[in-house]
């Protein structure tokens, strides 16, 4: 775990990759719960019998489930231990180059790439790569934007 204790500390880490973090198994219960929350219950995600005959041979996780797991997958990578709060601001360049088959493991790496500091806040851009065990292509590449209240 990398802990950033000041704006200067975080600024000096631009371009340095943290991770990868620990592996985490994506199971059908998590995919089903995400489908219930979002209403995205397409068979490729929630019907294991039909998906077994589909293009991936099994159900796959929603791309947006993988994206939404960035805070979870990143919690063991780094912490920002300064300022009063952090708020998600948005994402840039989100791509899902390959699927996450249910029952496989994923892990993330994070690279802070930009920090723009104003009087009372900073805007942090982090490039995330989520990989799937045994696959060459990542399952997610995205830049997240976080407001750090100073």
């Amino acid at each position: 775990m990398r802990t950033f204790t000041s704006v200067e500390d975080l600024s000096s880490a631009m371009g340095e990759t943290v991770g990868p973090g620990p592996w985490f198994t994506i199971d059908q219960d998590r995919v089903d719960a995400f489908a219930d929350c979002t209403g995205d219950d397409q068979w490729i995600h929630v019907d294991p019998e039909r998906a077994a005959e589909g293009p991936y041979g099994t159900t796959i996780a929603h791309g947006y489930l993988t994206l939404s797991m960035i805070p979870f997958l990143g919690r063991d990578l780094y912490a920002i231990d300064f300022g009063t709060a952090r708020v998600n601001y948005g994402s840039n360049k989100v791509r899902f180059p390959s699927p996450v088959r249910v029952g496989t493991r994923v892990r993330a790496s994070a690279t802070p790439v930009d920090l723009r500091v104003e009087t009372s806040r900073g805007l942090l851009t982090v490039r995330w790569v989520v990989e799937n065990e045994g696959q060459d292509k990542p399952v997610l590449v995205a830049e997240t934007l976080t407001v750090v209240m100073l």
Side-chain angles (χ1 to χ4, degrees):
M1 160 86 68
R2 174 92 187 257
T3 301
F4 299 106
T5 58
S6 67
V7 168
E8 294 77 22
D9 185 27
L10 181 55
S11 293
S12 70
M14 292 300 117
E16 295 178 17
T17 299
V18 181
W23 290 108
F24 180 79
T25 302
I26 302 296
D27 61 23
Q28 191 63 53
D29 288 343
R30 183 171 297 270
V31 172
D32 291 346
F34 188 82
D36 288 344
C37 287
T38 62
D40 184 354
D41 59 357
Q42 184 185 32
W43 64 268
I44 197 73
H45 304 302
V46 300
D47 187 341
E49 289 180 22
R50 185 173 177 191
E53 303 300 320
Y56 303 109
T58 187
T59 49
I60 60 170
H62 305 74
Y64 286 115
L65 168 58
T66 308
L67 179 65
S68 73
M69 289 185 65
I70 283 177
F72 175 77
L73 294 171
R75 70 181 181 181
D76 293 324
L77 295 178
Y78 73 88
I80 297 173
D81 196 20
F82 65 89
T84 60
R86 282 150 295 290
V87 179
N88 290 328
Y89 186 73
S91 299
N92 293 332
K93 303 177 186 175
V94 176
R95 301 291 184 267
F96 308 107
S98 60
V100 176
R101 288 172 174 80
V102 170
T104 62
R105 300 187 322 161
V106 297
R107 66 181 178 182
S109 297
T111 307
V113 294
D114 190 44
L115 179 62
R116 296 178 187 211
V117 179
E118 298 175 2
T119 304
S120 62
R121 69 184 204 148
L123 182 62
L124 173 64
T125 304
V126 177
R127 182 175 187 266
W128 293 89
V129 176
V130 178
E131 62 180 311
N132 199 193
E133 189 172 37
Q135 285 184 213
D136 292 334
K137 290 171 71 173
V139 297
L140 171 69
V141 179
E143 287 183 354
T144 60
L145 306 171
T146 303
V147 172
V148 180
M149 304 295 191
L150 303 175

